Amino acid sequence: MATESLEGPVPEDAVRGQRVLDLLDKALDAQGAMVRKNIARARQRNPEATPAEVIRNLERMYVSALTGTGAAVGGAAAAPGVGTGVALALSAGELFSSLELSALFALSIAEVHGVPIDELERRRTIVMGIMLGGSGSATITKVAERTGQHWGRQVVAKVPAQTLRQINKILGKNFVTRYGTRQGVIVLGRAAPFGIGAVIGGGANAALATLAVRASRRAFGPPPTSWPGQEPDTSPTVESTDGESSIH
């Protein structure tokens, strides 16, 4: 996402916002081969696992990893002798790690669902749409002029790249406003002393991860019944009362 040319000084908020988008693109660029490795890791305990079982494992891995990074940085920031400047620097570095983890999770789920992720614009739409939750899905379906559930399959996999660029332009602005502000609050909270930062960092990241998991379920819908090349499993599935499996 290139920064648009502006006459005169560039506002500080615009510079900061572009940095967030640059970090996102950097995280997306790093996820090519990692997606397949991540899915293989989710299957390693049971090579015969169904797509639904692999998705549940991916969800647990993501929530655990994001919670752990937040708590670790919060704990380090609260250690004796660590100044506020160092604490904020640690948390700012963790922002990129959280973006990487979130991008890896979202694209891994898309891969299991058979949604194409080779094109950068499609990866951007998937990751920002999931991280923005309900507002992201509303923007995607409105700009794409498509209705119905599961935008991950109905929009990202089918609409042309030009439409996706229009979608991503709007998502990018919302992403900077909402995700950047949300992370800014968390970053300051992690710098709190006496171990409070670890609690804030871990708890906040756990909440963000859980929201992303729920958004991914809404984006893609029920998992495939079988892997490509396999006969579909026709046995009945058991769902919770709200139609979504629980997060453990």
Side-chain angles (χ1 to χ4, degrees):
M1 298 179 183
T3 307
E4 296 180 4
S5 60
L6 298 172
E7 295 183 359
V10 179
E12 184 178 349
D13 289 345
V15 173
R16 189 183 303 114
Q18 187 60 40
R19 286 174 183 164
V20 173
L21 295 178
D22 288 343
L23 284 175
L24 175 63
D25 276 354
K26 186 178 179 182
L28 291 175
D29 288 339
Q31 300 311 320
M34 292 299 296
V35 168
R36 288 180 287 277
K37 291 181 180 179
N38 196 41
I39 294 172
R41 182 184 170 201
R43 297 182 70 175
Q44 65 183 359
R45 291 187 179 179
N46 179 14
E48 302 301 320
T50 65
E53 291 170 334
V54 169
I55 286 175
R56 284 196 294 271
N57 286 340
L58 289 170
E59 292 173 348
R60 294 188 187 106
M61 287 161 52
Y62 170 58
V63 173
S64 176
L66 201 62
T67 302
T69 58
V73 171
V82 176
T84 302
V86 175
L88 293 177
L90 287 171
S91 294
E94 195 271 334
L95 169 59
F96 177 64
S97 297
S98 68
L99 285 175
E100 279 194 312
L101 287 170
S102 298
L104 180 61
F105 166 71
L107 296 177
S108 296
I109 298 296
E111 178 79 6
V112 174
H113 279 273
V115 175
I117 58 172
D118 292 336
E119 298 177 15
L120 180 58
E121 290 297 340
R122 298 189 193 280
R123 295 201 296 271
R124 285 173 178 155
T125 306
I126 289 170
V127 173
M128 287 193 292
I130 286 176
M131 294 184 72
L132 287 171
S135 66
S137 62
T139 296
I140 292 167
T141 54
K142 180 179 180 180
V143 177
E145 297 182 344
R146 297 202 178 199
T147 58
Q149 294 181 318
H150 316 319
W151 59 262
R153 294 202 306 254
Q154 298 298 323
V155 176
V156 176
K158 297 179 180 180
V159 302
Q162 182 177 358
T163 302
L164 290 177
R165 281 192 288 271
Q166 295 174 357
I167 291 171
N168 290 341
K169 185 175 182 180
I170 299 173
L171 289 180
K173 294 177 181 178
N174 294 339
F175 187 83
V176 168
T177 300
R178 296 188 59 188
Y179 188 77
T181 301
R182 190 182 302 162
Q183 281 292 331
V185 173
I186 296 171
V187 164
L188 292 174
R190 289 187 188 126
F194 308 120
I196 298 173
V199 176
I200 293 174
N205 276 17
L208 290 175
T210 300
L211 290 173
V213 166
R214 291 173 178 166
S216 72
R217 293 174 179 175
R218 291 191 295 268
F220 296 107
T225 56
S226 63
W227 299 101
Q230 288 184 343
E231 290 294 327
D233 182 3
T234 57
S235 59
T237 58
V238 178
E239 294 185 345
S240 62
T241 55
D242 63 356
E244 297 181 349
S245 58
S246 58
I247 304 172
H248 299 289

